[in-house]
Amino acid sequence: FSLLDEAIKTNPRNTDILEMKGRICMSEKQYREALRIFDEIESITPDRGIPLKINAYVVMKELPKAVEQARRIITLKPNSSYGYMMLASIYESQNDLDKGVEELKKGLSKEKDNLYARLVLGNLYIKKKDYSLASATIAEALRMDPDSAPACFSQGTLLEKTGKKAEAVRMYRKALMKSDNYLPALNNLAYLYTEGYGNKKEGLSMALIAYKLEPYNGGFTDTLGYALLKNGRGEEARKVLEKAAAILPDNPTVNFHLALAYRATGDKARAAATLR
């Protein structure tokens, strides 16, 4: 924190530095301090600060406050789909996918050409396992912008979820051709490589790149840990997967990977406890 505090003293309106400190506070579960920082960011750039506050309230399980913040965005931008997307993300975090779809449809009624809102809707359909509607929604997004890395990524996600993993690899590669630093595609491609749909060592290299760029992303941390495990580096995998489990304690996939790491390093008791 000391280095960040010095940087903030030098440039107190630098939102990149403030956000970094706020995210570290979130990872350390210093939620109230994180909210104070996000309030500072909001005073400088509301479009950046409010979403950070929403995420904090969701993590803190203070959902009414998260919803209140999302509705502030709708009030500030009544003709935008952005506030509705934030509402949908809140409901998605609670697995209320129907409510999330409802809010996204409202947003698209305000801003029908918003590509990102359409993709979020498609991804919610994927989570609902309504693959027909997901396919139609993502296809429309690709029609709107065939060069969109997020649209290619969503198509890859749909293919992966429907068991067409080799085709998903091709779409993730296509997304990276459109934007070589599109981290969600890099992460998913790394995971599939680790699973045997590519070179495992290359998968580990890709996972490490994604993790270094977003070290507090639980999904990226999990992929790195799993890639380490699959490359025979059990002790390193265990440490990384313990970090992933601290970020995403209720995620069954992360806990399963951690159990595999405990087994690989000879700790059968903790492996069994983690599996339970």
Side-chain angles (χ1 to χ4, degrees), residues 244-263:
I247 299 170
L248 298 172
D250 300 321
N251 186 295
T253 301
V254 173
N255 281 286
F256 176 65
H257 291 161
L258 178 57
L260 293 178
Y262 284 141
R263 185 182 67 176

Side-chain angles (χ1 to χ4, degrees), residues 124-240:
L124 280 184
Y125 283 138
I126 291 173
K127 282 199 168 185
K128 283 170 58 68
K129 299 184 179 180
D130 191 335
Y131 298 130
S132 177
L133 278 176
S135 180
T137 304
I138 294 167
E140 175 61 17
L142 280 166
R143 187 196 64 78
M144 292 167 63
D145 186 357
D147 292 325
S148 164
C152 292
F153 170 75
S154 292
Q155 181 68 22
T157 302
L158 176 60
L159 289 165
E160 185 176 353
K161 292 295 184 182
T162 52
K164 300 173 182 177
K165 295 187 178 182
E167 294 177 49
V169 165
R170 288 194 289 273
M171 286 306 297
Y172 292 144
R173 285 175 177 159
K174 185 176 179 181
L176 289 169
M177 286 174 63
K178 305 298 182 184
S179 176
D180 60 6
N181 63 348
Y182 191 67
L183 296 185
L186 188 65
N187 177 72
N188 284 20
L189 191 58
Y191 191 89
L192 286 177
Y193 273 33
T194 298
E195 287 274 83
Y197 292 91
N199 184 286
K200 290 181 182 180
K201 287 185 177 179
E202 192 175 345
L204 175 56
S205 295
M206 290 188 288
L208 187 59
I209 291 169
Y211 171 78
K212 283 182 175 178
L213 290 170
E214 286 193 20
Y216 299 104
N217 183 309
F220 294 177
T221 307
D222 173 61
T223 298
L224 175 59
Y226 188 55
L228 286 165
L229 184 64
K230 286 292 189 176
N231 278 273
R233 295 163 62 173
E235 285 294 342
E236 293 171 86
R238 178 183 58 77
K239 292 175 183 177
V240 172

Side-chain angles (χ1 to χ4, degrees), residues 68-169:
E68 179 187 348
Q69 293 295 319
R71 296 207 178 279
R72 282 184 61 210
I73 296 175
I74 293 172
T75 301
L76 291 168
K77 298 184 176 183
N79 297 318
S80 169
S81 60
Y82 185 55
Y84 295 98
M85 283 192 282
M86 295 306 300
L87 269 178
S89 73
I90 295 168
Y91 293 123
E92 181 184 0
S93 73
Q94 303 307 301
N95 208 34
D96 191 345
L97 303 181
D98 289 332
K99 190 70 173 175
V101 167
E102 179 186 331
E103 294 297 340
L104 279 167
K105 286 181 175 178
K106 288 179 186 177
L108 283 167
S109 72
K110 302 284 186 181
E111 195 178 14
K112 66 178 181 178
D113 294 329
N114 188 305
L115 176 71
Y116 187 65
R118 198 167 296 278
L119 290 175
V120 174
L121 178 60
N123 290 332
L124 280 184
Y125 283 138
I126 291 173
K127 282 199 168 185
K128 283 170 58 68
K129 299 184 179 180
D130 191 335
Y131 298 130
S132 177
L133 278 176
S135 180
T137 304
I138 294 167
E140 175 61 17
L142 280 166
R143 187 196 64 78
M144 292 167 63
D145 186 357
D147 292 325
S148 164
C152 292
F153 170 75
S154 292
Q155 181 68 22
T157 302
L158 176 60
L159 289 165
E160 185 176 353
K161 292 295 184 182
T162 52
K164 300 173 182 177
K165 295 187 178 182
E167 294 177 49
V169 165

